[in-house]
Amino acid sequence: MRKHLEWIWLPVGLILGLALGVGYAWVLQPADFRGAEPASLQPVYRGEYILLIATAYQANGNLDRARTRLELFPELDPAVLSSLAQQVVAARGSEDAARGLARLSVALAEQTPMPSFAFTVTSGIPPTARATPTENPTLALTVPPMPTATLKPTQFSTATTLPGYVLVSREQVCNPLITQPLVQVLVRTPGGKGVAGVVIRILWEGGGSTFVTGMKPELSPGYADYGIEPGKAYQITIGDGLTVVRDVSVPTCPGATAVAGGGTSAAFAGSWRLVFEMR
Amino acid sequence: MKRFVLLLAGTVIGVLAGAWYGWSVSPVTYNEISPDQLRAEYQADYVLMVAETYAADHDLGEAAVRLSRLGQADLTGLVRRIADAYQAAGFPEQDCTRLYDLARDLERFSTLPTAAR
C-alpha cells in the first residue's frame, strides 16, 4: 500500500512541471515576437489604419491594392465601410477619408453580388432599403480625430481641383412610406452613372452637417440622403461649394396622393430629390 | 529516495510538455498593440500609404504625425530606408518615387530654421 502511494509523486511532479513550463513559455520567454498584424491594433489605431487605407485609395485609385490591405480586416465588408464613412463624416473627420471609404465601399460592392434595389428617379425609395445604415456591433472601430497638423509649411500646400456640379432636377417626393422627410441627393455623370464620394454640406439656421454619396450603394453609388425637419429652411452645397440649392424645406403632400387602397388621408410631410450632374 | 526521483522525473516531463504547449500549441498572442509593434512588412506598407496620401494632399504635417505613430525619432531616415528597400525589391517606380519625395520633403522641413516652421 505504501509502495503504491509513492507513485503519487510522479503526477505531482508533472503538474508542477507543467505549471513551470507554461509559465516559462508564456511569461519569461514567450515565443519569438516578430510583430503583429494590423487586425491586432488597438481600436483607435485600427480605425486610423483603415482610414489611411481609404485616403491612400482616394489618392492612388488602386483598388486591388486597397482590397489587399482591407483583407487584413476580415470584418470589413462594403456595408461596414459605408457605416464607417458616415462615422467619419459625423465626427467631422477627413473628407478624403470619407470619400475614400465611400468609393471603396461602392467599388467593393460592385464586385460582390448583393440584392439589388431598383432606384429610379420617379419612384420612391423602397422602405426596406431606406433603413438607416447598419451599425455593426462586432466592429469596435473608433474613428480617431484627424491628427492635428503641427508641421504644415505652406509652400507644400496644393489646392485640389474638384469637379463642378449642376442641379438638373429638383423634385418633390410624396411617398407615404417615407416617414422621415429627407433630402435625397443623386450625383451622376453626364452618362448617368452614380458618383460616390461626393461631399454634400447641408446648412440650416444655427447648424450644419455633411454627408457623402455612396453611403447606400444598394440604391446607387451616387445616392445620399439626410433627414430634415419641418419648419426649417436648408441650404445644400455640393462639391466645390459653387453649386448651392437654397430654401429647401419639408414640403407638404396632399393626402389624396398618399392613399393606398382608395381612401383619403391627411396631408403629410414629403421629401425632396435633388439630382446633380458633374460638369 | 524513490519519491524524490519520481517527483523530479514528473517535474522534468511537465516542464518540457508545458514549454512545448506554451511555445508551439498555444503561443502568446498580442492584442491591442500600437503601430510600432506591427510586423516589419506592415510598417513598411503603412509608410507607403502615408507617402501615397501625401502625394495627393501634400500635407506634410499630417504625414509626419502619422509616421510618428511608428515610434521612430528619425522619420526621414525611416522613409528613406523603406524607399531603398522597396527599390531594391523591385517595387513599382511610382511607389519608390512617392517615398523618396516624402523623405526629401521631411528632410527639407527638418532643416528649416525653427522660426520658419
Side-chain angles (χ1 to χ4, degrees), chain A residues 2-3 6-10 12-22 24-27 29-31 33-38 40-43 45 48-49 51-53 55-60 65 69 72 94 96 145-153 155-158 160, chain B residues 2-4 6-23 26-28 30-35 37-40 42-43 45-46 48-50 52-62 64-66 69 91-92 95 98 105-106 108-109 112 117:
Chain A
R2 239 184 115 178
K3 281 201 165 184
E6 281 182 338
W7 283 96
I8 198 79
W9 293 103
L10 184 64
V12 168
L14 266 175
I15 292 167
L16 184 69
L18 273 173
L20 289 172
V22 170
Y24 184 77
W26 280 353
V27 181
Q29 192 67 45
F33 178 60
R34 284 177 295 172
E37 300 211 339
S40 306
L41 285 165
Q42 291 172 32
Y45 293 126
E48 200 169 284
Y49 198 98
L51 293 188
L52 194 53
I53 292 173
T55 49
Y57 172 66
Q58 177 70 7
N60 64 20
R65 183 174 284 183
R69 285 168 172 162
L72 299 168
S94 156
D96 280 342
M146 289 313 290
T148 310
T150 49
L151 322 169
K152 195 168 182 176
Q155 67 264 37
F156 298 126
S157 298
T158 306
T160 310
Chain B
K2 190 178 176 184
R3 287 180 196 167
F4 178 73
L6 287 170
L7 180 66
L8 187 66
T11 306
V12 169
I13 295 167
V15 165
L16 292 175
W20 170 75
Y21 181 81
W23 280 331
S26 179
V28 175
Y30 294 85
N31 288 312
E32 306 281 305
I33 61 161
S34 52
Q37 294 172 293
L38 286 171
R39 280 215 315 255
Y42 295 122
Q43 290 199 26
D45 193 47
Y46 181 94
L48 177 60
M49 286 193 285
V50 173
E52 287 173 332
T53 304
Y54 173 67
D57 67 14
H58 297 273
D59 190 337
L60 191 62
E62 206 158 289
V65 170
R66 284 173 166 151
R69 305 265 192 266
F91 272 68
D95 293 341
R98 285 171 169 163
D105 290 349
L106 283 167
R108 193 188 299 171
F109 181 80
L112 283 177
R117 294 185 189 181

Side-chain angles (χ1 to χ4, degrees), chain A residues 84-163:
Chain A
L84 188 56
Q86 287 187 328
Q87 289 179 46
V88 172
V89 171
R92 295 177 184 274
S94 156
E95 282 188 7
D96 280 342
R99 286 178 185 169
L101 285 165
R103 282 184 59 207
L104 259 179
S105 163
V106 170
L108 294 176
E110 279 174 355
Q111 295 178 344
T112 310
M114 52 190 307
S116 61
F117 297 97
F119 176 83
T120 60
V121 173
T122 51
S123 68
I125 297 177
T128 49
R130 211 178 55 73
T132 48
T134 321
E135 292 292 330
N136 191 328
T138 59
L139 181 66
L141 282 176
T142 306
V143 179
M146 289 313 290
T148 310
T150 49
L151 322 169
K152 195 168 182 176
T154 50
Q155 67 264 37
F156 298 126
S157 298
T158 306
T160 310
T161 308
L162 293 171

